[in-house]
Amino acid sequence: MNFAFSEEQEELRRTVRQFLESKSPSGEVRRLMDTTEGYDPAVWKQMGQELGLQGLHIPEEYGGQGYTFIELGIVLEEMGRVLLCAPYFASVVLAGNAILNAGTDAQKQALLPGIASGDTIAALAFTEPSGKWGADGITLTAKESGGAWTIDGEKMFVIDGHNADLLVVVARTQGTSGTDGISFFTVRGDAEGVTRTPLSTMDQTRKQSRVEFSGVAAEPLGTPGEGWPALSKTLDQAAVALSNEMVGGAQFVLDQSVEYAKVRVQFGRPIGSFQAIKHKCADMLLEVESGKSAAYYAAWAAAEDNDELPVVASLAKAYISEAYFHATAENIQIHGGIGFTWEHDAHLYFKRAKSSEIFLGDATYHRELLAQRIGI
Amino acid sequence: MDFRDTPSEAAFRDEVRGWFSEHLVGDFAALGGRGGPADEEGWDVRIEWERLLGADRWVGMSWPAEYGGRALDYAQQVIFNEEYARANAPGRISFFGEGLFAPTLIQFGTDEQKRRFLPKIQSVEELWCQGFSEPNAGSDLANVQTRAVLDGDEWVINGQKVWTTLAHRADWCFVVTRTDPESKSHHGLSYLLVPMHQPGIEVRPLRQMTGSAEFNEVFFTDARTARENVLGPVGEGWKVAMATLGFERGTAFLSQQLGFQRELTDLIEVAQKNGATADPVVRDKLAGHYAGVQIMKYNGMRMLTNLLHTGVLGPESSIGKLYWTNWHRSLGETAMDVLGTDALLVEHEGDGDYHLDDLHQTFMASRAETIYAGSSEIQRNIIGERVLGLPREPR
């Protein structure tokens, strides 16, 4: 048993942290969150060409570096720490894993090298206006005629949908329900019949779009109708990845709270000397550390691709969603009035936390999933 | 990062499993995992079982070989305890002697003291109790007022201790006393080792909210112990006592996660049988406890890795105590939700006794856990001040 990162992994963390501290300071986050695209193409290019981050966990045979979910988790944790504005989660985590899980070898050969280098930005279009995260939320239909497929319907909350060169779309074949008939397709982002509308997101640091499909010619990814296992796995992996990203943000706001509690003086003493504040910080530490344990363990299970993955994915997403939100809320409270201003970054983390909590299913949703998965 | 056993860990696990399958039979197997360090259920069987463990040096397994131990490292101790829980072996008795006093003795004792006391702990011939808390020294432990003065070759002790678990069963007590009458706070204290069977000591049971009486008040009236029965230097008892508390909060907790897991599994079974799992609120709570107990395991493994790499348990161990006590308390509350109206009765047959079933026991006994061994509020102070570096309360 060994629950520690290797020296190489720690080195990766240091490198990524240094890069992100220089490329994604608060001022940059605020500049980018006011743009429609919401990311800096030059930084994105550097991430791919200089650090190879987009291809980190993609196997070497598909143009990646062949590392694991543990390294991916480290990178995401660092990105969450600085609220990096980039289509990384959409392209690498959601679309990249969907292709890895659903695609044929030839499709992986064709699609993944572009994602791995960062030259292609991909997005996964699966949630619909109903906002359901399970199989029954998929109603966008796929029809086959003479060996050619067309898709019709509407997708919502598509992260970086309007930035994507490549859309991975989850649809269902006609006349199916539940987990039957779930199918993956790929479509160029600017294909005919695709209408993309950027949305006003509560968390401005992560962009979303509505994507409408009207008689769009689509290429099946894997075998149509048999996509559920790949989608379910993609969502579990995404929950693990998001959990790792969230603990990065949670640690950041804890540090911010503790730092402030040491220097802010009221009644002639630093407010951190009052138990009311000290105990809040202690509870935050307990939750952040526990969240890290869960996130790292889940990343290991994803790296091993073992049977534990569905259980630990839901367990981690449920616990960390609440821990992160709690930490960001306490951070505002500890900062007092200054924490409520637009100028202070506390609200950016608060909004990212709530948005991440809801995305991929909130804590209640994942506890029910967990109950089913452990046989309750 | 790898959570599987290494080849040597796997070999050790096999050895332990083999020992249990050979020895955990008959009355011992029948008692199962019942009884805990703070209760007397199945006492005679548990004493006999504990002596069997001691004879094969599983009591004192972490001690150096020269004092009869197996010199097991932390990883091996955790494996032993995991297998212990998995085998559902009887609840341990020697927590205060083996778990708290022995590691303190090994750290601070003279060679003579170690040779005098360790073998009898291992053979389970002498049981120990912990004389720390007093009526006016609870969270503020440094306010100890029990006094000890030298009279020739003996210490003479006067005062009162309280919440002394299993004092009525114990042969010896490790007692924090004030040996410098002019001293205040944590100065001038000494850590004395006092025999319990003497006229100067009176033990009075304290009945708890659970209905049983494992706690006691202990009165010292001119009680005596030999001059050499002081652990560490005279006047430096605070440092020794803090080491004991470190063991109480730290390593002891690393292995109890499997027992908690079993309690949760039992509760889920009850809920499935009585239909409570159809209730979405109950489902949510049970799944939340499952997440909680798994994370307790992951936290423990992280702490253990850190311990193996650095050799010391940091103040982070306070997170463990705060975590598990909250988890267990909340499990007890859910247990009552699961029982519904059945929770209204502690005994369905009604012989008039106040005997608790396992779920009521968890519900009630867990209220003590957030108080003893440093209350949750004290734990939060420790985390805030020593881990996060927040300023101390002005005193």
Side-chain angles (χ1 to χ4, degrees):
Chain A
M1 196 285 295
N2 174 26
F3 199 157
F5 293 110
S6 67
E7 187 40 48
E8 195 187 9
Q9 288 163 343
E10 295 290 3
E11 180 58 34
L12 171 69
R13 183 187 296 284
R14 282 192 290 272
T15 304
V16 174
R17 180 169 296 192
Q18 208 171 16
F19 176 80
L20 292 177
E21 277 176 354
S22 85
K23 302 295 177 187
S24 183
S26 171
E28 271 304 286
V29 170
R30 285 165 179 271
R31 181 179 73 78
L32 292 168
M33 77 186 199
D34 278 338
T35 65
T36 307
E37 299 73 31
Y39 77 103
D40 183 338
V43 172
W44 178 254
K45 202 167 178 178
Q46 276 186 304
M47 283 167 58
Q49 291 180 353
E50 290 172 22
L51 296 161
L53 297 185
Q54 286 91 327
L56 196 67
H57 86 298
I58 293 173
E60 283 168 304
E61 68 226 76
Y62 306 127
Q65 302 202 53
Y67 287 100
T68 73
F69 266 85
I70 298 175
E71 287 80 10
L72 183 67
I74 290 170
V75 169
L76 286 163
E77 187 179 349
E78 294 304 315
M79 290 176 174
R81 189 171 169 270
V82 298
L83 300 177
L84 174 72
C85 297
Y88 190 86
F89 199 84
S91 190
V92 175
V93 176
L94 290 169
N97 286 326
I99 294 167
L100 276 166
N101 294 328
T104 64
D105 190 57
Q107 288 169 331
K108 293 182 208 174
Q109 298 279 3
L111 299 173
L112 290 172
I115 292 176
S117 67
D119 292 339
T120 303
I121 292 175
L124 178 67
F126 76 107
T127 324
E128 300 189 4
S130 71
K132 292 181 176 175
W133 302 102
D136 56 351
I138 311 291
T139 65
L140 185 137
T141 49
K143 273 180 283 195
E144 195 221 341
S145 170
W149 289 83
T150 53
I151 55 175
D152 281 277
E154 181 182 346
K155 291 291 179 182
M156 274 293 281
F157 318 112
V158 181
I159 296 186
D160 289 302
H162 58 291
N163 289 320
D165 306 303
L166 175 71
L167 291 168
V168 177
V169 187
V170 185
R172 76 165 53 251
T173 50
Q174 276 184 302
T176 61
S177 64
T179 55
D180 291 335
I182 300 295
S183 313
F184 284 92
F185 293 90
T186 53
V187 174
R188 299 296 312 168
D190 55 4
E192 205 182 319
V194 175
T195 309
R196 298 186 285 180
T197 314
L199 302 169
S200 302
T201 48
M202 172 181 70
D203 166 20
Q204 297 170 289
T205 63
R206 177 163 275 160
K207 302 299 183 185
Q208 302 173 16
S209 349
R210 172 191 292 121
V211 186
E212 289 155 296
F213 299 86
S214 175
V216 177
E219 186 68 28
L221 181 69
T223 310
E226 295 175 11
W228 173 249
L231 178 59
S232 177
K233 184 170 176 180
T234 302
L235 295 178
D236 286 342
Q237 291 168 330
V240 172
L242 189 55
S243 296
N244 279 272
E245 188 193 275
M246 286 191 281
V247 294
Q251 178 69 55
F252 182 84
V253 296
L254 168 60
D255 292 344
Q256 208 172 38
S257 287
V258 169
E259 201 44 51
Y260 188 72
K262 285 177 185 172
V263 297
R264 169 69 176 169
V265 173
Q266 288 286 275
F267 304 101
R269 345 172 349 198
I271 60 170
S273 69
F274 291 102
Q275 290 190 347
I277 300 296
K278 189 178 291 174
H279 288 191
K280 273 188 200 297
C281 292
D283 285 333
M284 285 162 79
L285 179 79
L286 179 143
E287 291 179 12
V288 171
E289 287 300 324
S290 300
K292 281 184 181 176
S293 298
Y296 300 162
Y297 187 88
W300 175 77
E304 292 286 313
D305 197 10
N306 64 25
D307 297 346
E308 277 192 272
L309 176 60
V311 165
V312 296
S314 280
L315 178 164
K317 179 65 169 66
Y319 185 87
I320 296 166
S321 290
E322 290 182 341
Y324 187 16
F325 179 71
H326 181 231
T328 61
E330 293 289 46
N331 189 42
I332 291 176
Q333 183 69 21
I334 289 168
H335 278 80
I338 196 81
F340 185 67
T341 61
W342 188 269
E343 189 189 353
H344 198 279
D345 287 346
H347 72 103
L348 302 181
Y349 287 87
F350 179 80
K351 292 167 184 173
R352 171 65 77 87
K354 183 47 85 175
S355 176
S356 302
E357 179 184 340
I358 294 166
F359 191 65
L360 299 172
D362 65 13
T364 308
Y365 172 83
H366 275 283
R367 279 193 293 266
E368 174 53 36
L369 212 51
L370 177 58
Q372 292 168 21
R373 286 170 169 183
I374 60 173
I376 295 180
Chain B
M1 196 174 291
D2 191 344
F3 298 96
R4 287 164 291 221
D5 283 344
T6 62
S8 70
E9 286 167 351
F12 179 71
R13 194 181 293 280
D14 281 346
E15 181 192 341
V16 174
R17 281 189 185 168
W19 193 90
F20 282 119
S21 63
E22 192 181 329
H23 295 89
L24 186 60
V25 293
D27 285 351
F28 304 138
L31 188 64
R34 305 181 74 86
D39 70 57
E40 296 175 276
E41 187 172 358
W43 185 265
D44 294 341
V45 175
R46 284 165 63 199
I47 283 278
E48 209 184 318
W49 167 249
E50 194 95 4
R51 286 181 176 155
L52 193 61
L53 288 169
D56 274 354
R57 295 181 301 139
W58 294 117
V59 178
M61 61 187 171
S62 66
W63 305 347
E66 57 177 316
Y67 298 113
R70 287 173 175 255
L72 298 186
D73 66 25
Y74 291 112
Q76 291 171 312
Q77 293 171 48
V78 168
I79 288 170
F80 176 85
N81 289 323
E82 282 173 1
E83 292 306 318
Y84 194 97
R86 194 163 289 140
N88 203 22
R92 296 295 293 272
I93 276 174
S94 48
F95 173 73
F96 294 95
E98 187 206 8
L100 299 188
F101 176 62
T104 315
L105 176 64
I106 287 168
Q107 189 176 339
F108 291 96
T110 62
D111 186 61
E112 206 176 351
Q113 286 173 326
K114 292 177 200 176
R115 292 192 188 285
R116 161 64 188 84
F117 292 113
L118 288 173
K120 302 273 186 192
I121 291 174
Q122 189 170 50
S123 64
V124 199
E125 286 169 83
E126 288 176 352
L127 297 178
W128 285 78
C129 62
Q130 179 180 16
F132 279 25
S133 294
E134 297 182 3
N136 288 312
S139 287
D140 185 9
L141 182 61
N143 195 36
V144 157
Q145 283 156 20
T146 294
R147 285 163 292 114
V149 290
L150 267 180
D151 175 24
D153 282 341
E154 286 186 325
W155 293 100
V156 179
I157 306 145
N158 282 284
Q160 184 197 344
K161 295 289 174 181
V162 73
W163 320 125
T164 317
T165 307
L166 298 179
H168 57 294
R169 295 281 191 180
D171 304 290
W172 285 82
C173 187
F174 45 98
V175 189
V176 179
T177 60
R178 194 163 293 286
T179 44
D180 175 356
E182 305 300 314
S183 68
K184 279 210 172 100
S185 182
H186 56 275
H187 303 286
L189 300 173
S190 299
Y191 194 107
L192 300 187
L193 316 178
V194 183
M196 290 294 285
H197 307 297
Q198 59 170 307
I201 291 185
E202 185 193 353
V203 177
R204 293 185 202 158
L206 277 171
R207 195 174 184 213
Q208 303 134 210
M209 63 182 276
T210 54
S212 57
E214 289 91 16
F215 284 155
N216 298 278
E217 296 174 289
V218 181
F219 295 88
F220 298 82
T221 311
D222 293 333
R224 288 176 175 263
T225 194
R227 183 178 190 148
E228 64 267 23
N229 285 338
V230 56
L231 190 59
V234 171
E236 290 185 26
W238 182 253
K239 199 169 73 180
V240 187
M242 288 302 101
T244 302
L245 290 181
F247 294 119
E248 185 167 20
R249 289 169 193 158
T251 46
F253 114 93
L254 280 173
S255 318
Q256 56 190 3
Q257 186 269 344
L258 272 159
F260 288 144
Q261 187 130 28
R262 186 183 297 278
E263 279 186 51
L264 173 61
T265 304
D266 291 348
L267 178 61
I268 289 172
E269 237 172 73
V270 171
Q272 282 170 328
K273 279 193 189 132
N274 78 2
T277 48
D279 179 345
V281 176
V282 169
R283 297 176 67 77
D284 186 77
K285 287 182 180 177
L286 291 173
H289 296 314
Y290 181 85
V293 80
Q294 290 300 113
I295 292 172
M296 197 190 299
K297 176 168 81 180
Y298 310 150
N299 280 343
M301 292 191 292
R302 255 177 97 208
M303 202 180 291
L304 177 62
T305 294
N306 195 37
L307 185 63
L308 291 168
H309 288 179
T310 66
V312 286
L313 261 182
E316 289 87 355
S317 60
S318 284
I319 295 169
K321 206 260 168 180
L322 186 58
Y323 188 103
W324 75 256
T325 55
N326 276 333
W327 181 87
H328 201 218
R329 195 164 77 170
S330 151
L331 183 79
E333 291 167 10
T334 300
M336 296 301 103
D337 296 342
V338 165
L339 287 180
T341 49
D342 280 349
L344 297 175
L345 308 177
V346 291
E347 188 97 14
H348 281 262
E349 299 312 314
D351 62 0
D353 278 352
Y354 199 76
H355 281 308
L356 301 184
D357 56 42
D358 289 350
L359 297 183
H360 281 92
Q361 178 70 24
T362 299
F363 174 60
M364 292 183 207
S366 60
R367 309 317 293 194
E369 294 164 355
T370 51
I371 299 168
Y372 67 54
S375 69
S376 294
E377 289 69 25
I378 293 292
Q379 303 299 335
R380 289 188 179 95
N381 282 349
I382 293 172
I383 295 169
E385 290 165 18
R386 298 202 212 144
V387 183
L388 297 173
L390 291 168
R392 290 170 64 93
E393 194 101 2
R395 286 175 196 172

